[in-house]
Amino acid sequence: MKMSRRGWNNIIIFAVASMILIFKYVELNNQQSESEQQLAGQLLPQGATILRIELPELVIERVGTQWRSEPPTERSIAVIDAWLHITLEPWQNALGGAASSQGVHIYLANSAAPIELTLFELGHQRWLTNWQGQLLSLDEDSYHALFPTTSL
């Protein structure tokens, strides 16, 4: 039994459409998994530009091309860099009601309202929420990079 030219055209069209759908599905899955991996543990959105950051004991703001801090600190640029590039481990457990909390406000260049993050402390353990509301665990080195001690 021979197939007509119209029948072969239908088979070819169906095969090509199927291949396009398969390639598109694989591409979308790869993009989604890469973006989830990049954003997991990030404190701020990718490509964010900080204008002002209000920490519990320190305020750093951009004035022209320089950074000004109150109270003055020599590590302003290092602190801003840490907030932009540090990656922390997600925390899956509950904190409980005994943890104390402090707010952190970060003003970005393309946002009218600040991003509000929360620092939780319980003993020597610390956690921080990121811009997506995800709870991240802070180790001692990361804490000191993000929240420098001010010396008068």
Side-chain angles (χ1 to χ4, degrees):
M1 179 171 168
K2 279 188 159 183
M3 196 181 276
S4 69
R5 184 177 191 144
R6 186 175 181 178
W8 279 111
N9 283 344
N10 288 340
I11 289 175
I12 291 172
I13 290 170
F14 180 74
V16 169
S18 299
M19 292 296 289
I20 290 171
L21 288 173
I22 289 171
F23 289 142
K24 197 63 172 170
Y25 176 76
V26 169
E27 180 184 346
L28 286 174
N29 277 348
N30 286 343
Q31 287 177 351
Q32 185 177 17
S33 65
E34 288 174 6
S35 66
E36 287 175 359
Q37 288 174 352
Q38 286 179 342
L39 295 178
Q42 292 291 323
L43 290 174
L44 300 174
Q46 195 74 13
T49 302
I50 296 176
L51 297 178
R52 179 182 171 100
I53 185 166
E54 297 175 357
L55 303 173
E57 297 178 7
L58 180 68
V59 175
I60 303 173
E61 64 183 337
R62 186 180 203 118
V63 179
T65 59
Q66 302 294 319
W67 292 98
R68 178 178 62 195
S69 63
E70 187 60 41
T73 182
E74 296 176 6
R75 295 189 41 217
S76 298
I77 296 172
V79 172
I80 295 297
D81 189 55
W83 278 93
L84 289 172
H85 298 104
I86 201 162
T87 302
L88 302 172
E89 291 294 320
W91 183 261
Q92 302 299 330
N93 301 330
L95 293 182
S100 63
S101 65
Q102 297 177 359
V104 174
H105 296 80
I106 301 175
Y107 295 84
L108 300 179
N110 295 331
S111 180
I115 294 177
E116 297 180 15
L117 309 179
T118 306
L119 171 67
F120 296 98
E121 296 183 77
L122 182 61
H124 293 290
Q125 290 184 308
R126 296 177 181 97
W127 303 270
L128 187 65
T129 58
N130 68 358
W131 62 284
Q132 297 172 314
Q134 181 183 23
L135 193 61
L136 305 171
S137 177
L138 271 173
D139 59 18
E140 201 65 30
D141 293 335
S142 298
Y143 176 76
H144 289 298
L146 297 172
F147 299 93
T149 55
T150 56
S151 56
L152 297 175

